[in-house]
Amino acid sequence: MNVGEIREHPPIYDRLVEERGDVLAEARHAAELARHQSEQALDWSSLRPSAQQSGQREGRAFSAFG
């Protein structure tokens, strides 16, 4: 068998997809969902003051009330 005869997926793969569903596509989707959820869970940017807010604070005297 030479390289020209090799298909991306062998014929048995197509039959398995028909019988059991495309597990590889489902796994890719689950991985993408997990990646998106982990990015949201690890995003701490909303807890840090923005540069504009911190710049406004530097020009004022310290106050325990804001």
Side-chain angles (χ1 to χ4, degrees):
M1 179 185 302
N2 63 32
V3 177
E5 295 173 357
I6 298 174
R7 290 183 45 198
E8 184 176 337
H9 297 293
I12 193 169
Y13 180 81
D14 295 331
R15 191 171 69 222
L16 286 171
V17 168
E18 287 177 19
E19 292 174 7
R20 307 210 178 212
D22 194 348
V23 176
L24 295 177
E26 291 174 19
R28 283 186 207 103
H29 177 72
E32 181 62 28
L33 181 61
R35 185 192 63 77
H36 179 68
Q37 289 174 339
S38 66
E39 282 180 354
Q40 287 181 331
L42 298 173
D43 181 12
W44 294 66
S45 63
S46 64
L47 299 177
R48 287 182 265 156
S50 69
Q52 184 180 17
Q53 290 174 337
S54 62
Q56 291 173 350
R57 291 182 187 154
E58 290 174 4
R60 293 185 286 168
F62 173 78
S63 171
F65 300 104

